[in-house]
Amino acid sequence: MSGGRVDVAVVGLGPAGRSLASACAARGLRVVAVDPRPAAVWTPTYGVWEDELAELSPTVVRSRLAAPEVRAVGVHRLARPYVVLDNPALQGALPLDDVEVRRARLDDAEVAALTSSARVVVDARGARTQGLRPDDPAPAQTAFGVVVPADVAAPALQDAEALLMDWRTDWRTDQVGAGTAGLRPSFLYAIPLGDGTVLLEETCLAAVPPLPVEELKARLRRRLAARGVDPSAVDTPLHREAVHIPMRGRGRPPVDGTLAHGVAGRGGHVVTGYSVAHALRRSRALADELAAGQVPRRVDALAPADALREAGLRAVLRLDVDGTLALFDGFGHLPAHLQRAYMSRDGDLADVAAAMWSMFRQMPWSGRRELARATLLP
């Protein structure tokens, strides 16, 4: 494909950009995609809920966990299967055979220049750290993880099939009488990967400033040692993973004349940072719109529930360790449909409100005050 004005130019070939380029080409649109490493296999570990796979083939699943657990004050088995995606298989399920792929790294001016040769330009380059105001630094989710053999990881799982969030505080210093006052909470994400290995990842859901990866690495080492895992597993793993996800779903400042898709727009879940399932689903819908000649003003418009999610993020940023444990213990007590609404980027206002109210009622009074302040204050 060369010469003439194309229908769609997609900049960035992560999950959001590749799925959109593939979907647009499948609908007969002329598509150009630009990425600095278009053939690279994605390296992050992507997990989604099984019911969010939608039209994707089960062959893109690397590992399926039937009943992942949330552990806080109590133990909560979630009645919702969770899957880890097989990145090469997922990329193969999003073919670019009919897409003109260009290898380049574009800055904002170069992205804007594509509007002269494409009817629609979509920026899918990912997020930049950005606050709501110049004096409001952006929160971020950070994590440090290691992949180790399943037999090494077994003591960390403590008989759970998988730990989606383990908020217990065995990451704290082992000094006698040491507490958690003034410390940002973090949780263990322990997920079998389906090939005899397990990802053990210490995660800070959100903090300002972001919790440093080195601190998370130290916490992971202490947590694993407390559970009987050889701490050297942190230093000599099969693979390491470090994560930094800007929160609040703000993405990049918009480039004039373009659409922002995925975490470059508002595609990330404001509280959890999850974005892949929503991006894959939104890519199909956006491709349908573009094929019909419709060009939306933005890919992810503000939803009524976003104000509640924003309040939820402010609460997470303000709560101390005990308050956070109480909050997610409340999540564990929710009925399945409200857990789904709270975790979903697309949960409707009534269900998100019901989920947050139910969690609020589970919290101690000190945590309720903080959650109420987060809801009422800008």
Side-chain angles (χ1 to χ4, degrees):
M1 182 188 303
S2 61
R5 188 175 175 86
V6 300
D7 296 305
V8 184
V10 179
V11 185
L13 285 174
R18 184 174 180 122
S19 60
L20 177 63
S22 181
C24 286
R27 288 154 177 77
L29 298 174
R30 299 185 70 204
V31 183
V32 166
V34 187
D35 188 273
R37 300 176 62 225
V41 175
W42 301 327
T43 56
T45 301
Y46 296 129
V48 303
W49 300 103
E50 186 177 54
D51 54 43
E52 294 180 330
L53 285 176
E55 300 173 9
L56 288 172
S57 165
T59 59
V60 305
V61 172
R62 179 180 181 184
S63 174
R64 179 183 187 272
L65 296 317
E69 295 183 9
V70 170
R71 295 186 178 183
V73 179
V75 175
H76 308 280
R77 297 179 76 246
L78 306 183
R80 191 182 185 193
Y82 183 79
V83 299
V84 177
L85 299 178
D86 182 319
N87 290 354
L90 177 58
Q91 289 175 267
L94 304 170
L96 299 178
D97 299 341
D98 297 319
V99 176
E100 180 181 330
V101 178
R102 301 175 183 172
R103 183 186 180 104
R105 185 183 301 277
L106 304 186
D107 60 24
D108 286 356
E110 291 167 323
V111 172
L114 290 174
T115 58
S116 65
S117 59
R119 179 171 63 92
V120 178
V121 177
V122 180
D123 184 355
R125 292 176 294 165
R128 291 177 186 160
T129 300
Q130 179 188 9
L132 293 176
R133 304 181 302 270
D135 61 343
D136 179 20
Q141 180 178 127
T142 50
F144 175 82
V146 295
V147 175
V148 299
D151 59 336
V152 173
L157 285 160
Q158 296 183 329
D159 297 323
E161 179 186 22
L163 294 171
L164 186 72
M165 293 181 175
D166 186 344
W167 288 99
R168 292 172 300 167
T169 59
D170 50 358
W171 50 262
R172 69 191 188 283
T173 178
D174 58 4
Q175 295 175 5
V176 175
T180 57
L183 298 176
R184 295 298 306 158
S186 62
F187 65 88
L188 176 66
Y189 176 76
I191 304 293
L193 299 178
D195 58 359
T197 65
V198 177
L199 172 63
L200 302 174
E201 192 162 87
E202 192 72 25
T203 303
C204 176
L205 187 60
V208 179
L211 200 61
V213 167
E214 282 304 313
E215 167 62 17
L216 291 165
K217 181 178 180 180
R219 290 189 183 190
L220 180 62
R221 183 182 286 106
R222 292 196 297 266
R223 188 191 293 273
L224 296 184
R227 298 190 186 188
V229 177
D230 185 346
S232 68
V234 176
D235 300 311
T236 57
L238 302 173
H239 175 70
R240 292 182 180 86
E241 182 167 299
V243 175
H244 184 283
I245 303 174
M247 303 296 282
R248 282 191 169 129
R250 287 301 191 267
R252 293 172 174 267
V255 175
D256 288 344
T258 72
L259 295 174
H261 181 36
V263 293
R266 292 192 60 92
H269 191 288
V270 175
V271 178
T272 67
Y274 280 17
S275 64
V276 173
H278 176 77
L280 296 176
R281 182 167 56 254
R282 189 66 185 94
S283 287
R284 294 188 290 272
L286 179 57
D288 286 338
E289 293 170 16
L290 297 179
Q294 303 168 7
V295 181
R297 292 183 61 187
R298 60 184 306 161
V299 176
D300 281 300
L302 287 169
D306 283 342
L308 283 178
R309 296 189 183 97
E310 187 74 44
L313 175 61
R314 291 198 299 270
V316 167
L317 292 171
R318 289 175 177 168
L319 289 175
D320 61 13
V321 171
D322 290 340
T324 301
L325 263 71
L327 179 70
F328 283 94
D329 208 59
F331 170 82
H333 286 289
L334 293 177
H337 74 284
L338 293 185
Q339 290 178 345
R340 185 174 294 110
Y342 186 77
M343 286 291 203
S344 173
R345 174 64 177 79
D346 303 308
D348 67 30
L349 176 61
D351 282 346
V352 173
M356 292 184 67
W357 173 245
S358 296
M359 292 164 71
F360 175 83
R361 290 191 304 167
Q362 297 285 335
M363 299 179 70
W365 282 108
S366 60
R368 290 188 188 187
R369 285 194 297 271
E370 287 300 320
L371 190 56
R373 288 181 60 202
T375 302
L376 296 173
L377 297 178

